Amino acid sequence: MSPSSCVGGFTIQDPFLSKLREISERKRNRLILALDSIGERSSFGEEEVRELLDKVRKHVSGIKLGLPAEISLGKSTERVIGSFPDLVFIADWKLADIPEVCGLTSRALFERGFDAVIVHSFVGAKSLEAAKRAAEEAGGGVIAVAAMSHPDATLVNSNVDQNLMFCRMARINSLVAPATNPKIISKVKSGLPDSTIFSPGVGTQGGEGREAILAGADYLIVGRSITSSGDPVRSAASLVTRIWG
Ligand code: O7M
């Protein structure tokens, strides 16, 4: 894992990864909270989100805002992001579109204050490049989905080599690979050795954080095991202690 790394002969300076690394070293965890729901609800207000983030901020390095949260928060997302400078904010819209629309959407998300956007890699190098250009203009980052965690992800997971080739072509070295399938994490890491891997699927989906890290994951993305637990602070803190001591 390096904020400046070499992909396909190109050196990549990534302000998003630099910021994330600085925060995670200071907080001594590599945990990204996936905020899709609070308790059982996927509809919530700004105050509720602020309250949750204020409580867990010490134990997490970043927040991945999924579409349910973004739809709930709307324009107030900007205020929430501005209030927590000690967290990175990742927009998880899993963009999968033509290059022009990937670029436009990424630009709009960076204007909203996000540090990084998530794009599907299967759409091809040009779409990834468009998001990457928007990220470079904004001083942000792009994370590409190389493989997925759910049992049905057969199509995307049987094309990992192709997905990685698109990432290499677009000079993207931040990738998503599933904690539910450590073999795929290892495959992604050996395909792009300088990459930074974000691994979802820990806990509720059955993945084991430690196994994911041993396989090559750099950051764990965890949602419901924290947000749906009766005590999100305790859940986040005990996960951090279990994995990073
Ligand atoms: O811990 P959970 O299961 O409550 O949440 C997992 C989060 O990770 C949730 O926000 C999903 O959208 C995301 N995710 C997966 O669960 N599987 C994937 O393959 C990919 C992602 C993801 O974050 O992609 C960017």
Side-chain angles (χ1 to χ4, degrees), residues 91 98 117 165 185 201 203 212:
I98 58 170
V117 297
M165 191 187 80
I185 298 179

Side-chain angles (χ1 to χ4, degrees), residues 34 36 64 92 94 118 145 147-149 176 200 202 205 221-224:
D36 301 301
K64 185 181 76 71
D92 185 7
K94 289 191 187 64
I118 295 181
V145 179
M148 295 194 75
S149 62
V176 170
V202 174
Q205 294 183 51
I221 295 174
V222 180
R224 289 163 293 174

Side-chain angles (χ1 to χ4, degrees), residues 97-100 102 123-131 133 166 169-170:
D97 216 318
I98 58 170
E100 292 76 6
C102 272
V123 280
K126 294 266 185 285
S127 293
L128 292 172
E129 278 163 8
R133 264 196 304 281
F166 290 145
M169 287 165 74

Side-chain angles (χ1 to χ4, degrees), residues 3-239:
S4 156
S5 58
C6 189
V7 172
F10 296 92
T11 297
I12 299 175
Q13 297 289 341
D14 191 319
F16 158 64
L17 288 180
S18 301
K19 180 175 173 183
L20 177 56
R21 194 172 71 165
E22 186 273 310
I23 291 172
S24 61
E25 279 176 1
R26 185 155 37 86
K27 296 189 180 180
R28 295 170 187 274
N29 71 68
R30 291 185 186 175
L31 180 57
I32 306 289
L33 176 68
L35 183 54
D36 301 301
S37 52
I38 299 181
E40 300 306 311
R41 289 170 302 112
S42 60
S43 173
F44 32 77
E46 182 181 344
E47 277 317 308
E48 210 175 347
V49 171
R50 282 177 183 282
E51 207 180 301
L52 174 67
L53 299 195
D54 208 33
K55 280 193 217 155
V56 298
R57 67 198 298 179
K58 191 170 141 202
H59 306 291
V60 305
S61 295
I63 307 296
K64 185 181 76 71
L65 275 191
L67 277 174
E70 183 74 21
I71 289 164
S72 277
L73 289 172
K75 278 279 181 194
S76 55
T77 303
E78 226 165 294
R79 283 197 298 271
V80 171
I81 293 175
S83 305
F84 296 93
D86 60 328
L87 294 166
V88 297
F89 282 84
I90 301 167
D92 185 7
W93 290 29
K94 289 191 187 64
L95 303 177
D97 216 318
I98 58 170
E100 292 76 6
V101 177
C102 272
L104 287 173
T105 315
S106 301
R107 225 160 260 132
L109 290 167
F110 286 123
E111 273 165 23
R112 200 164 264 199
F114 282 103
D115 297 289
V117 297
I118 295 181
V119 184
H120 265 298
S121 58
F122 71 79
V123 280
K126 294 266 185 285
S127 293
L128 292 172
E129 278 163 8
K132 177 87 178 162
R133 264 196 304 281
E136 281 168 355
E137 285 161 22
V142 176
I143 303 173
V145 179
M148 295 194 75
S149 62
H150 55 307
D152 269 357
T154 48
L155 188 58
V156 70
N157 290 359
S158 57
N159 286 287
V160 169
D161 289 333
Q162 176 87 55
N163 296 339
L164 292 182
M165 191 187 80
F166 290 145
C167 293
R168 241 178 257 119
M169 287 165 74
R171 297 186 296 122
I172 287 176
N173 65 341
S174 297
L175 305 168
V176 170
T180 48
N181 194 334
K183 278 193 186 145
I184 296 191
I185 298 179
S186 303
K187 184 180 169 80
V188 168
K189 198 68 166 188
S190 55
L192 266 177
D194 272 327
S195 58
T196 298
I197 297 185
F198 295 79
S199 255
V202 174
T204 311
Q205 294 183 51
E208 235 308 315
R210 200 181 290 277
E211 279 177 30
I213 286 171
L214 285 174
D218 297 291
Y219 291 90
L220 300 180
I221 295 174
V222 180
R224 289 163 293 174
S225 309
I226 297 171
T227 58
S228 295
S229 82
D231 188 342
V233 179
R234 186 197 285 254
S235 303
S238 70
L239 182 73

